[in-house]
Amino acid sequence: MKQLILIVTALLLLVGSLQALSLKDHGDHTGIIRQTSHSVYLDKEDGSYLLLLTAGVIRDSVWVPVPGDSAVVKAYQFPGQKILEVLQITDASGVTLIRDSQYQPLHQAQSILTVDPGTCIGCRLCERNCPVDAISMVGRIAVIDQSKCVECGVCIDGNGRFRGCPVGSIKNTEE
């Protein structure tokens, strides 16, 4: 009987630990919205933070960023990086929910970013720098998983020391 109690206790502790690992801590980030040709940022006192929205959020007008507007972003911050995985945005237009509490997108859309296989040199820089692991290699060509891509623009414009695709193989199909 003692062994059964110990096993059940160990299993409960294991399940609790796994649940704690799967939940991301999120916080509120206040700043000014800034948009580039491919990305949306929240400019705070300590720097610019890339906002990971979801594919099609801007295109589908779920939330239309207004550059220069103040916003409070509830998001998970990637450790040691200025990247925010957005849950919700509160700005002058109100509260817009982007993801649920398990960080699953509430607005599904297919990404409009693609790789030109004729110009891709297979350097893997985009694959290594994609914050949502949406890029993989098939042979020596980068391929974007349209269901994972959040159109953050890191593969095109870069982020930090990475300056984006060195040969411009990744394109927005709507441009």
Side-chain angles (χ1 to χ4, degrees), residues 14-168:
L14 179 63
V15 167
S17 297
L18 290 174
Q19 286 177 335
L21 286 174
S22 67
L23 296 177
K24 298 176 181 178
D25 290 330
H26 59 270
D28 289 341
H29 303 267
T30 303
I32 304 297
I33 297 297
R34 179 171 54 88
Q35 187 173 1
T36 65
S37 58
H38 300 105
S39 304
V40 180
Y41 293 87
L42 183 70
D43 291 334
K44 297 173 48 173
E45 288 182 11
D46 64 339
S48 292
Y49 288 74
L50 175 66
L51 299 182
L52 296 183
L53 301 167
T54 58
V57 166
I58 297 167
R59 185 175 72 245
D60 296 336
S61 300
V62 170
W63 175 69
V64 179
V66 179
D69 269 8
S70 179
V72 177
V73 176
K74 184 179 292 296
Y76 164 74
Q77 182 175 349
F78 284 62
Q81 299 182 45
K82 291 188 175 184
I83 298 176
L84 301 174
E85 187 174 13
V86 179
L87 284 172
Q88 73 180 36
I89 299 171
T90 305
D91 61 7
S93 64
V95 176
T96 304
L97 299 176
I98 305 296
R99 289 182 177 81
D100 65 21
S101 60
Q102 277 73 49
Y103 289 84
Q104 297 303 309
L106 295 174
H107 313 281
Q108 295 293 334
Q110 292 295 308
S111 172
I112 55 174
L113 301 183
T114 60
V115 176
D116 178 352
T119 59
C120 178
I121 59 173
C123 66
R124 303 182 87 101
L125 288 172
C126 59
E127 179 187 36
R128 282 186 242 141
N129 287 281
C130 179
V132 295
D133 295 323
I135 302 175
S136 59
M137 301 301 288
V138 175
R140 293 207 25 91
I141 304 296
V143 175
I144 298 174
D145 181 336
Q146 303 296 316
S147 66
K148 286 184 177 179
C149 177
V150 297
E151 297 173 3
C152 65
V154 168
C155 57
I156 297 172
D157 297 327
N159 189 37
R161 293 178 61 197
F162 173 58
R163 298 292 176 216
C165 178
V167 293

